Amino acid sequence: AQKITQTQPGMFVQEKEAVTLDCTYDTSDPSYGLFWYKQPSSGEMIFLIYQGSYDQQNATEGRYSLNFQKARKSANLVISASQLGDSAMYFCAMRGTIGANSKLTFGKGITLSVRP
Amino acid sequence: NAGVTQTPKFQVLKTGQSMTLQCAQDMNHNSMYWYRQDPGMGLRLIYYSASEGTTDKGEVPNGYNVSRLNKREFSLRLESAAPSQTSVYFCASSEAGRLNLNEKLFFGSGTQLSVL
C-alpha cells in the first residue's frame, strides 16, 4: 500500500520569507502522482500543485513549487514570499495506478503559521 | 459556481441515531468520494463511486453505507451512529471514469458531525 508521511508538527515563517513543507512517500507503483492541498481555517480543501512521477521538471504554480526528489521519495512544497493568507494546514497526497493505490491517499498534514 | 455541495454543515447526533449526509456536484463528474478527517489522521477514504451505479469500500468503511443516487448525487449514511464517528466529513468529486494520475479532486465544504 502507498503511504504519505508528513512529520513536521507545525511550522512558522515570517511574512515575505520562503518556507518548505516536507513530504515523503512510499509506493511500489511504477507511475504515480503527487499533490498538495491547502486547508485554511474555513475548512475547504484547495488544490495547489501536482507533480507526476515521470515529469522531467519540478512543478510550479505561482508562488508554489514542488521540490521533487524521486530517489529520496520526497515531494516537498516550497512557498515563496509567504503571505498572511498562507496560514493554513497543508496536506500532501498521492495516487498510484494499481488497485487501491489508484485512490488519493493523504498525509496527516502540516500546520503553517505566517507571522507578520 | 456551486461545485460540490454538502448538507448539512453541522450535525449533532446521539449514539444509535441514524442520519444521511448529502452530496451533490454540478460538474458532470463521474467519480465521487467520501472522506473523513480526524485530528492527526489526515483524510481517510470511506467509500467511493467510480461511476454512476458503482460503489466501493475505501480505507475505513465500517459503520457506513453509501448510495450513488445518480451521476450528481452521492450520499453517506450512518445507520447507528457511534462516538467514534465524530469527525469532519468531506465529499469530493473528480472528472474521470478512467484513471488519470494528474486528476485532482474537488471538495465540498465539509460536514462537522458530533456523536454524543
Side-chain angles (χ1 to χ4, degrees), chain A residues 37 39 91 95 103-104 108, chain B residues 35 37 40 48 103 105:
Chain A
Y37 280 82
Q39 186 180 42
F91 291 94
R95 169 186 289 124
K103 302 300 167 281
L104 204 59
K108 295 181 180 182
Chain B
Y35 284 88
Q37 182 181 16
Y48 65 96
E103 186 172 284
L105 267 59

Side-chain angles (χ1 to χ4, degrees), chain A residues 72-114:
Chain A
R72 292 187 173 186
K73 294 189 175 180
S74 73
N76 299 339
L77 177 71
V78 181
I79 305 175
S80 63
S82 297
Q83 302 172 356
L84 296 178
D86 293 334
S87 294
M89 180 161 281
Y90 290 81
F91 291 94
C92 181
M94 75 176 298
R95 169 186 289 124
T97 55
I98 300 172
N101 289 354
S102 64
K103 302 300 167 281
L104 204 59
T105 299
F106 286 83
K108 295 181 180 182
I110 302 168
T111 300
L112 175 66
S113 298
V114 181

Side-chain angles (χ1 to χ4, degrees), chain B residues 88-116:
Chain B
V88 179
Y89 292 84
F90 285 97
C91 178
S93 70
S94 64
E95 185 175 1
R98 65 187 185 283
L99 177 64
N100 288 326
L101 279 176
N102 64 348
E103 186 172 284
K104 61 186 179 185
L105 267 59
F106 293 81
F107 285 84
S109 57
T111 297
Q112 194 163 332
L113 176 66
S114 295
V115 183
L116 306 178

